[in-house]
Amino acid sequence: MVRKNFGAIPDEVLSFALEELRKISSGEIIFVAQDGVLMQVEIIFRRRLSDWSTKFSPLSEELLKNLSEQIRKEFSRLLYGRLVVKIQKGRVTQIERTIQQRFTGLDGEGI
């Protein structure tokens, strides 16, 4: 049976995350998957002293649209794990997908 939410990020959640991304000069937005379902979103703000007075250009709508598509694509490939969007100096610098494997039947269930 395929779940309705499997591999998907609800529109309102992604919109919220992208809006928060616009406020971050340095930090991360983390999407956590369990059983292929988005379980939580973590937003980490960092304020580097070297960037304290620097003004960053707002992200363009085209960039946000492309980023949104990339986030959806990468998250859809997660069963268990995290998708991390890293931001430095007001720019998205990388997306990391960390996959976790679940093993059962080995001295207990799961990891």
Side-chain angles (χ1 to χ4, degrees), residues 87-106:
I87 303 103
Q88 292 181 349
K89 295 186 178 183
R91 297 184 53 193
V92 175
T93 56
Q94 69 186 51
I95 296 177
E96 296 176 357
R97 189 168 31 90
T98 303
I99 299 170
Q100 296 174 330
Q101 299 274 331
R102 295 281 178 160
F103 300 100
T104 58
L106 303 172

Side-chain angles (χ1 to χ4, degrees), residues 26 32 37 43 46 52 71 79 82-84 89-90 93 95:
S26 292
V32 180
V37 176
I43 300 173
R46 293 191 184 95
W52 199 262
I71 289 170
L79 189 56
R82 300 161 37 109
L83 183 70
V84 181
K89 295 186 178 183
T93 56
I95 296 177

